[in-house]
Structure formats: C-alpha cells, structure tokens
Amino acid sequence: MFGLFKKKSEMEKLQEQYEKLMKEFHTLSTSDRTASDKAYAAADVIAKKMDALK
C-alpha cells in the first residue's frame, strides 16, 4: 500500500521495456524473422543501457 505512489526508477522502466521486447522477439521468431531481428536489436540496445546504469 505504501508503494502505491512510488515512481519507477530508470532501471525498472528499462527492465519492463526489455521484457516486452524479448517477449515480442520470441513470438515473432516463428513467423517473421526480419521483425524478430529488429525486436532483438532493440532489446540489445536497452540491455546495454541497463549495463551502463549499473
């Protein structure tokens, strides 16, 4: 209840974006290889940003 109005940190935002892109990558990997590769590349960029914040 006390964390109800707590803002998300930059790392938490990046983690959510990364998880979303990886899920999209996984679902696209069976149907559209080009879109899958683009989603993976975007997730890789976010992973590098997360490493830079550590």
Side-chain angles (χ1 to χ4, degrees):
M1 172 117 179
F2 292 107
L4 184 63
F5 298 107
K6 181 182 173 189
K7 291 186 178 182
K8 292 183 181 179
S9 69
E10 186 67 26
M11 182 63 99
E12 290 172 332
K13 291 177 186 178
L14 289 173
Q15 183 68 30
E16 285 182 4
Q17 288 177 344
Y18 179 78
E19 290 173 5
K20 180 182 172 190
L21 285 169
M22 288 305 287
K23 185 182 278 188
E24 182 181 345
F25 158 72
H26 182 67
T27 56
L28 288 172
S29 66
T30 58
S31 61
D32 188 0
R33 182 65 184 198
T34 305
S36 171
D37 289 344
K38 287 180 183 178
Y40 184 79
D44 189 44
V45 168
I46 291 175
K48 289 179 183 177
K49 286 181 185 178
M50 290 185 339
D51 285 341
L53 286 177
K54 287 185 180 179

